[in-house]
Amino acid sequence: VSDTGDVEAIKRLKPQDATTNPSLIYKAAEMEQYAHLLDNAAEYAKGDLSLAMDKVAVNFGHEITKIVPGYVSTEVDARLSFDTEATIAKARKIIDLYKEVGVDKSRILIKIAATWEGIKAAEVLEKEGITCNMTLIFNLAQAIACAEAGATLISPFVGRIMDWYKADKKVDGFAPAEDPGVISVTQIYNYY
């Protein structure tokens, strides 16, 4: 899985799937070769900033679907993480934007924060055939809740788990077998 908005890097790496997020899209959007994707979004949105941001993400995602054979994850605005209905509406809008450019929803994973509200949104969306990638997973309880909701994919935050423990224990790092992030993901994997 490629974790970038840089379309040229994805072409070089040839991953099966790709995921993006607003910070990755922002970084790629600063590159001159992608200016046309921003221009298109601005013109499309006609002053609606929220729509423009969704359209930028979809424009990048559309380009990525031309390269990877599998899924492309596109993130719902993180500010909606504690609003089930708004998350559902935003996910549907993103899928509609992909449909407008000829990308079927079967190629898209909607990336949603694994808050309780986000998990409930994923449960509704998955029943509608909109596949979800649950992110910001820090523990087994979240992973289980996502699985019970029928989420297609979970994305545990291995590195962020380790970062928290490094700061808490005031250490520079952990041996792989002692890395709290790796231990957490292993626990999640073994549960299933």
Side-chain angles (χ1 to χ4, degrees):
V1 175
S2 172
D3 193 6
T4 183
D6 184 350
V7 177
E8 294 305 315
I10 294 170
K11 285 180 184 175
R12 280 192 319 276
L13 298 170
K14 297 179 176 39
Q16 176 69 30
D17 302 294
T19 185
T20 63
N21 66 45
S23 62
L24 297 173
I25 295 294
Y26 175 75
K27 186 175 178 183
E30 292 180 312
M31 300 175 187
E32 184 60 36
Q33 66 263 36
Y34 304 126
H36 67 285
L37 299 177
L38 301 175
D39 293 342
N40 171 269
E43 183 179 320
Y44 181 92
K46 296 180 180 21
D48 181 336
L49 183 58
S50 178
L51 180 57
M53 297 308 295
D54 292 342
K55 184 64 174 160
V56 166
V58 169
N59 284 351
F60 275 93
H62 179 221
E63 292 301 312
I64 295 167
T65 64
K66 296 174 186 176
I67 302 165
V68 301
Y71 286 114
V72 173
S73 289
T74 300
E75 189 168 325
V76 167
D77 186 334
R79 294 173 295 183
L80 304 178
S81 296
F82 295 98
D83 186 332
T84 300
E85 293 306 316
T87 296
I88 292 168
K90 183 65 79 173
R92 289 173 179 154
K93 179 62 181 173
I94 291 168
I95 292 297
D96 287 345
L97 289 170
Y98 273 110
K99 185 176 181 180
E100 287 178 15
V101 294
V103 177
D104 188 74
K105 68 182 178 181
S106 65
R107 295 288 316 282
I108 305 303
L109 284 166
I110 297 296
K111 191 186 293 186
I112 299 171
T115 59
W116 180 253
E117 296 83 357
I119 293 167
K120 288 307 193 184
E123 187 171 29
V124 170
L125 294 165
E126 290 280 354
K127 287 176 182 170
E128 295 177 4
I130 297 173
T131 52
C132 299
N133 173 1
M134 305 307 291
T135 190
L136 297 175
I137 294 178
F138 298 102
N139 60 55
L140 180 61
Q142 282 179 289
I144 292 169
C146 291
E148 289 177 354
T152 297
L153 180 70
I154 62 169
S155 297
F157 262 37
V158 179
R160 295 301 138 281
I161 293 169
M162 182 179 69
D163 290 346
W164 186 89
Y165 278 95
K166 282 172 37 179
D168 183 61
K169 305 281 186 201
K170 298 182 182 5
V171 298
D172 292 331
F174 297 92
E178 298 168 356
D179 180 330
V182 172
I183 292 168
S184 175
V185 171
T186 301
Q187 181 185 32
I188 291 167
Y189 179 82
N190 289 337
Y191 180 83
Y192 294 98

